[in-house]
Amino acid sequence: MAAELIPFQPEPEKDPAEQLVDLPYEEQMILDLCREGKGRNEIANLTGLSTWKVSTVAAKHGHYFGRAAWLEVANAARAAQLKERKQRLALQLLDNAELYADALSGVGTPKDGQLVAKALRDILESHEMLSGVTDDEQHEEGKELLFSLRAAMADVREGFEAAHGVPFDSPEAAEIIKQEAKQHDEA
């Protein structure tokens, strides 16, 4: 009689990730291959299981092997791979930008400084395209980098004018730059 007084309490729902933890090895392997976008026959060949077993296990966990479903999973996996690759490339570009920014402070001639600055600007533009920069904080960081680049270029200009005693924009400066470039190329 006391049992009749206790209200029905449904069992709490498990997190889908927790449900997959307790799976037998074969089922886990099938589901992993399904997430990778593999087809029923391919999974059967890879695991040595029958296509019926593969389909049954997959359907039990909400995965069906219709052509549209397979394409959707494969496209999602490919999109994730491409996104990860873009992120890796964007990080590599930032590393290269740091190297070029460091190189800018040690350039010998203004012409070399201009080439390094152009390369740095191109790298930063490529990084922006790959990473889809939209965050204000990242824009501010880019501005700070460009201002420091501008300051480094001004230092190069002032150093040239102090070393040679002529204005950087003068015809004499152009001649000196040509001579230095020629000496640099010969070395």
Side-chain angles (χ1 to χ4, degrees):
M1 219 183 243
E4 294 173 10
L5 299 176
I6 298 174
F8 174 75
Q9 296 180 354
E11 192 174 316
E13 289 187 30
K14 289 184 179 178
D15 182 24
E18 290 178 16
Q19 292 175 350
L20 298 179
V21 172
D22 299 332
L23 292 177
Y25 176 75
E26 286 179 345
E27 287 188 26
Q28 185 65 49
M29 191 169 43
I30 290 169
L31 293 176
D32 289 342
L33 292 170
C34 286
R35 283 188 212 99
E36 291 177 14
K38 307 276 190 227
R40 176 183 50 225
N41 293 337
E42 188 176 3
I43 294 172
N45 289 335
L46 290 170
T47 60
L49 301 170
S50 69
T51 54
W52 180 85
K53 173 78 172 179
V54 170
S55 294
T56 304
V57 169
K60 177 179 167 185
H61 296 283
H63 182 83
Y64 301 96
F65 289 104
R67 179 98 174 127
W70 179 81
L71 286 174
E72 183 178 319
V73 170
N75 286 338
R78 180 71 176 146
Q81 289 173 346
L82 289 174
K83 183 177 180 181
E84 180 183 329
R85 185 171 182 208
K86 281 176 67 175
Q87 290 172 344
R88 277 195 323 255
L89 287 172
L91 289 175
Q92 288 173 350
L93 285 171
L94 276 183
D95 291 341
N96 289 343
E98 288 178 19
L99 292 174
Y100 275 90
D102 291 342
L104 188 61
S105 62
V107 295
T109 66
K111 184 176 181 180
D112 290 342
Q114 290 172 345
L115 291 173
V116 171
K118 183 184 180 328
L120 182 58
R121 186 175 55 246
D122 291 346
I123 288 171
L124 291 174
E125 286 174 3
S126 298
H127 173 265
E128 187 174 332
M129 284 180 14
L130 282 173
S131 63
V133 174
T134 56
D135 191 25
D136 290 336
E137 197 172 292
Q138 289 178 331
H139 284 294
E140 289 301 318
E141 189 176 309
K143 284 180 187 177
E144 288 175 18
L145 181 63
L146 290 175
F147 281 125
S148 66
L149 176 64
R150 183 179 181 188
M153 290 177 72
D155 291 343
V156 168
R157 179 185 184 121
E158 290 170 9
F160 177 85
E161 290 175 351
H164 299 289
V166 294
F168 185 75
D169 297 339
S170 68
E172 295 87 14
E175 197 59 39
I176 293 170
I177 292 170
K178 285 180 188 176
Q179 289 175 357
E180 286 180 358
K182 184 178 179 183
Q183 290 173 355
H184 184 269
D185 290 341
E186 290 174 356

